[in-house]
């Protein structure tokens, strides 16, 4: 088995991984990034909407500041986030946006003069701000704060970041998958990696290992995530038995995944003035959220959509019920300039023209707030030398609901922070590793491969299908105790069946069935962690909504779930830690969910 | 639409499986509404043949992973609807790029190499001031740069290119576009002469024989032909200036931090 040594091993080449790598490389460290795909194909590329940073350059962002961004973030999180982390984040976000501009991102800029808002109001963009970075409106924020590049924010950010990585000599080993972390229970020394070009195993030894593999969206049946977002990094972290995952039950659904296909159409549609309509063409969000309307927080909008669907107000289709997104009134010019990707998605994948027709949408799994639990500097709990960044991590900026535009901003800001921590920790340290740890990680991976090749009648895609159905039906937008118990039991059964996976294909070389079969047990463990955490959390907070416990309970649950998976156990072990509240005591989110809950009670009554 | 039965004839070859050589394999599927090649290939892999290799990531035409030859034409598989195709559909991997297996080719390595050759980053001597306001840029300028940055590196332009079939060092339309993107960017301090060194050769702008299949097949409708003309004009002007002794070659401090 080939062995490769490096100072820093970053697993995942999306924005978070590349930003971490760039920071470490700028400190003179040798960095290798592993990626399932060529780096510019990472899921970050699909972020259409924007990057939140309080620059305050627009008429509608006058008076914005990191303080206002902080308040929006903490309220959005339903007070489930760590406020010291949110503070670091909001202060660094403007620096991060400007640095990306310095590196080449063509941010859309302020054009002075009158601007008509969707509601008819006219504001003046100031000549003094001409040519500074512009921003657009996004759900759940007080000010216009989402910086953007026309319709391809994620694309421009990722390409620019990869350019900088190239300039600094960061190596990317693409088509490579980390299958196990090398560790001795105290310290992480790298990973055992499968080359997806030829199926061979390699050992990477590193002084620092960073998990930046993004979210686990694809374990759900309907997800806006790219098909590679299967939570691989979180799975190998929890497999160590000592690294906890934080708040895995906090799963965000996006209100506007298209039907069929689950492709996300950006929050920008609603930010720019799009409406949600039901089967009768009625703009139902006015009933539920008279003030925020379609721009209430994502979890709130998603729940109203599911609730409205359950009341029989959705459109029936061969792909299940859906509602409509209406952007026709924004006009062709606006749609073709600022929402061009949305127009393309509608035409190319649905065969409809959004300038004249309605877009079929439904809430779809979108974001993993939970992940590898780290401290405020990105150091993972449980193992020295292990770090996490971006969606795969949980330093806990998002709590129980992430604001639109905060994820892109988080990748870049957290990458900066984690890269610095790595550089700081490695300064003056020597390369050391444990032979025993390397042998044991290799053995574990080789045994898994042998087991696949030698026996087993279960088929990976059958089990996978069942897992994603269980999550969609029982661990979705609305949850309740009875269904969660069923979900946990069914997932445990799948976990057991996954021990008997076999292959239908030859298993030779880069056989994709082998990749899928190696991943599935980890995916089921993540699914179980989500369902079990959701079952234990007997309150509703942010995106975690329990029908049997509809209220937030700060006395019992202003805490973060930590889940480890002891070797051989059939369930994760949960513990809890307090959430850090440093500035803003918990209160009303101001999204109207209290009123909505009261109304629901009256409907039931 | 009448329900059709579709026959997919797909190129198969796993270089690591010595039992079988390169061959075509047929799969027969019932057509469903709004079916795409993404749903098709996923169904084939999950229900019929789990060994089939192909690449999808975003499945929404933004990541550039899934280009294949569909009945001989390079296209993004994810946004090819079967409704647009005849009942018999042939799929081959993109030519030009190194084959990984079946429909999967190594576009990533080619584009990384291209990015190295054209030094695909903003060359500037200016440092970043974390405490300062951002440098201003006219919005039109920003939009113009963005327009040239929309390439998703799918490889359709290179797969369709006659020059690329003849010389494997050709930068291709994607490489030339990348040069143009930095050339018009006011933040990049490279001079005309610097750019001339990169593209003023037969592997660059002079290699193109003008068949323009790149533009025909670009799934993002990028202005590839226009950019080629733009580069040739700038190269010509740079050459003229050089000929009359006014070659613009300012000092290159800080242009590369390698």
């Amino acid at each position: 088995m080939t062995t490769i040594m490096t100072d820093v091993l970053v697993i995942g080449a999306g924005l978070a991984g590349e930003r971490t790598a760039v920071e470490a490389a700028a400190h003179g460290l040798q960095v290798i990034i592993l990626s399932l795909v060529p780096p510019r194909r990472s899921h970050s590329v699909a972020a259409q909407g924007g990057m939140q940073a309080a620059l305050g350059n627009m008429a509608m962002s006058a008076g914005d500041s990191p303080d206002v961004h902080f308040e929006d973030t903490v309220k959005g999180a339903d007070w489930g986030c760590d406020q010291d982390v949110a503070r670091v984040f909001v202060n660094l976000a403007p620096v991060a946006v400007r640095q990306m501009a310095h590196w080449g991102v063509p941010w859309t800029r302020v054009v002075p003069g009158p601007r008509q808002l969707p509601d008819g109001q006219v504001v003046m963009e100031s000549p003094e701000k001409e040519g500074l970075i512009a921003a657009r409106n996004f759900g759940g924020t007080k000010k216009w704060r989402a910086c953007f590049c026309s319709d391809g924010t994620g694309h421009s950010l990722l390409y620019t970041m990869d350019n900088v990585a190239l300039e600094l000599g960061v190596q990317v080993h693409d088509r490579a998958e980390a299958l196990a972390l090398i560790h001795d229970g105290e310290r992480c020394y790298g990973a055992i990696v499968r080359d997806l070009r030829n199926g061979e195993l390699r050992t990477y030894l590193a002084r620092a290992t960073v998990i930046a593999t993004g979210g686990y969206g694809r374990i759900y049946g309907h997800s806006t995530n790219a098909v590679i977002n299967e939570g691989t990094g979180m799975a190998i972290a929890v497999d160590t038995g000592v690294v906890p995952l934080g708040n895995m039950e906090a799963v965000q659904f996006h209100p506007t995944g298209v039907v069929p296909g689950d492709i996300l159409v950006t929050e920008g549609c609603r930010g720019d003035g799009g409406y949600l309509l039901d089967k009768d063409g009625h703009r139902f969000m006015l009933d539920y959220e008279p003030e925020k309307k379609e721009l209430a927080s994502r979890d709130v909008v998603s729940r109203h959509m599911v609730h409205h669907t359950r009341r029989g107000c959705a459109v029936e289709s061969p792909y299940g019920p859906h509602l409509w997104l209406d952007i026709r009134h924004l006009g062709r010019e606006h749609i073709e300039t600022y929402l061009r990707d949305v127009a393309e998605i509608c035409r190319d994948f649905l065969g409809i023209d959004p300038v004249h027709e309605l877009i079929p949408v439904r809430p779809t799994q979108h974001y993993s707030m939970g992940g590898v639990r780290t401290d405020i500097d990105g150091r993972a709990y449980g193992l020295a030398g292990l770090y996490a960044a971006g969606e795969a991590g949980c330093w806990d900026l998002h709590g129980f609901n992430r604001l639109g535009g905060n994820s892109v901003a988080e990748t870049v800001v957290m990458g900066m922070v984690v890269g610095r921590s790595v550089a700081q920790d490695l300064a003056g340290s020597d390369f050391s590793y444990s032979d025993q740890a390397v042998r044991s990680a290799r053995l574990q991976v080789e045994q898994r491969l042998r087991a696949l090749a030698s026996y087993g009648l279960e088929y990976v895609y059958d089990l996978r299908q069942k897992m994603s159905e269980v999550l969609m039906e029982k661990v979705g937008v609305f949850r309740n105790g009875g269904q969660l118990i069923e979900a946990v039991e069914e997932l445990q059964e799948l976990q057991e069946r996954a021990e008997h996976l076999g292959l239908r294909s030859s298993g030779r070389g880069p056989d994709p069935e082998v990749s899928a079969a190696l991943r599935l047990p980890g995916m089921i463990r993540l699914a179980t962690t989500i369902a079990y955490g959701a079952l234990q959390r007997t309150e509703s907070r942010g995106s975690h909504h329990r029908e049997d416990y509809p209220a937030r309970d700060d006395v019992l649950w202003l805490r973060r779930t930590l889940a480890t998976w002891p070797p051989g156990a059939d369930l994760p072990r949960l513990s809890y830690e307090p959430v850090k509240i440093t500035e803003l005591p918990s209160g009303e989110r101001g999204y109207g969910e209290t009123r909505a809950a009261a109304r629901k009670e009256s409907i039931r009554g | 639409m009448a329900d059709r039965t579709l026959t997919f004839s797909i190129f198969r070859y796993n270089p690591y499986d010595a039992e079988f050589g390169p061959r075509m394999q047929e799969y027969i599927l019932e057509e469903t509404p709004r079916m795409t090649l993404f749903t098709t290939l996923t169904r084939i892999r999950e229900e019929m043949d789990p060994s089939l290799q192909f690449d999808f990531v975003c499945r929404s035409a933004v990541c550039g992973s899934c280009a294949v030859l569909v009945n001989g034409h390079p296209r993004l598989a994810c946004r090819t609807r079967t409704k647009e195709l005849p009942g018999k559909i042939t799929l081959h991997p993109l030519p030009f790029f190194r084959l990984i297996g079946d429909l999967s080719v190594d576009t990533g390595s080619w584009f990384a190499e291209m990015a190295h050759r054209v030094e695909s980053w903003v060359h500037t001597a200016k440092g970043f001031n974390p405490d300062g306001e951002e440098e201003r840029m006219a919005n039109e300028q920003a939009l113009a740069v963005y327009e040239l940055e929309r390439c998703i590196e799918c490889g359709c332009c290179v797969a369709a290119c006659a020059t690329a079939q003849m010389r494997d060092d050709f930068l291709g339309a994607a490489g030339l576009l990348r040069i143009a993107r930095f050339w018009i960017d006011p933040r990049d301090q490279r001079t005309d002469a610097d750019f001339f060194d990169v593209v003023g050769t037969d592997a660059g702008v002079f290699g193109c024989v003008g068949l323009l299949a790149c533009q025909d097949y670009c799934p993002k409708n990028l202005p590839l032909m226009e950019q080629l003309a733009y580069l040739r004009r700038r190269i010509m002007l740079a050459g003229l200036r050089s000929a009359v002794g006014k070659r613009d070659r300012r000092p290159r401090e800080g242009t590369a931090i390698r």
Side-chain angles (χ1 to χ4, degrees), chain A residues 514-573:
Chain A
V514 175
S515 310
L518 287 172
R519 270 174 222 162
L520 186 70
M523 292 167 75
I524 300 175
R525 271 197 288 283
L526 296 184
T528 312
T529 306
I530 295 166
Y532 193 55
L535 173 64
Q536 300 303 324
R537 186 173 284 271
T538 49
E539 66 156 354
S540 291
R541 183 181 298 273
S543 64
H544 170 70
H545 193 87
R546 287 282 298 255
E547 291 171 295
D548 43 356
Y549 296 93
R552 198 176 78 195
D553 181 351
D554 284 346
V555 177
L556 274 179
W557 288 110
L558 199 49
R559 306 188 290 171
R560 179 175 307 103
T561 308
L562 297 177
T564 50
W565 201 299
D570 57 357
L571 275 178
R573 187 157 60 209

Side-chain angles (χ1 to χ4, degrees), chain A residues 306-326:
Chain A
V306 171
H307 175 64
H308 205 63
T309 300
R310 286 185 180 178
R311 290 177 62 191
C313 300
V315 184
E316 291 304 326
S317 86
Y319 309 100
H322 65 77
L323 295 154
W324 298 114
L325 174 65
D326 186 2

Side-chain angles (χ1 to χ4, degrees), chain B residues 10-239:
Chain B
I10 300 179
F11 174 85
R12 300 301 310 272
Y13 181 52
N14 176 353
Y16 296 89
D17 196 341
E19 271 180 56
F20 302 101
R23 65 205 181 277
M24 299 302 288
Q25 191 168 340
E26 285 199 349
Y27 302 91
I28 293 165
L29 279 85
E30 295 299 316
E31 189 168 32
T32 55
R34 288 173 181 162
M35 185 168 170
T36 64
L37 292 185
F38 167 65
T39 46
T40 301
L41 289 168
T42 305
R43 263 177 70 191
I44 292 176
R45 185 191 277 175
E46 297 186 0
E47 296 166 18
M48 304 163 87
D49 189 343
S51 70
L52 183 63
Q53 293 181 62
F54 51 79
D55 293 316
F56 287 101
V57 178
C58 73
R59 55 72 177 91
S60 57
V62 295
C63 80
S65 300
C66 66
V68 293
L69 290 187
V70 183
N71 291 338
H73 299 271
R75 304 186 60 156
L76 295 181
C78 70
R79 72 162 195 203
T80 300
R81 286 182 290 148
T82 55
K83 202 177 157 187
E84 308 156 16
L85 301 171
K88 166 125 187 175
I89 298 156
T90 308
L91 302 178
H92 283 96
L94 283 191
F96 181 77
F97 299 100
R98 199 179 70 82
L99 181 75
I100 289 174
D102 300 339
L103 298 176
S104 175
V105 295
D106 197 353
T107 45
S109 296
W110 188 86
F111 277 95
E113 168 64 22
M114 177 275 279
H116 265 293
R117 281 173 66 195
V118 306
E119 298 190 1
S120 167
W121 57 85
V122 169
H123 291 52
T124 178
K126 286 183 192 161
F128 171 65
N129 172 14
D131 304 317
E133 196 176 64
E134 63 271 25
E135 264 191 56
R136 292 178 193 242
M137 185 188 266
N139 191 46
E140 283 165 21
Q141 185 98 59
L143 287 175
V145 171
Y146 176 74
E147 185 62 22
L148 301 190
E149 194 166 79
R150 292 197 302 115
C151 169
I152 59 171
E153 302 195 345
C154 63
C156 286
C157 58
V158 185
C161 173
T163 303
Q165 312 306 318
M166 294 184 290
R167 54 182 309 153
D168 56 13
D169 63 348
F170 185 50
L171 277 172
L176 297 176
L177 185 75
R178 183 66 53 81
I179 288 285
R181 180 250 173 270
F182 286 101
W183 211 334
I184 68 159
D185 191 326
R187 293 166 292 199
D188 197 311
Q189 296 177 332
R190 274 179 283 185
T191 64
D192 284 357
D194 293 332
F195 284 113
F196 185 92
D197 289 345
V198 183
V199 287
T201 67
D202 284 351
V205 283
F206 302 121
C208 171
V209 294
L211 299 179
L212 301 174
C214 52
Q215 173 133 348
D216 294 345
Y217 285 110
C218 176
K220 287 290 170 185
N221 299 318
L222 291 165
L224 300 174
M225 186 168 64
E226 191 187 314
Q227 289 315 309
L228 178 77
Y230 168 80
L231 285 177
R232 281 185 168 165
R233 272 200 312 277
R234 286 207 61 162
I235 292 284
M236 195 184 70
L237 286 173

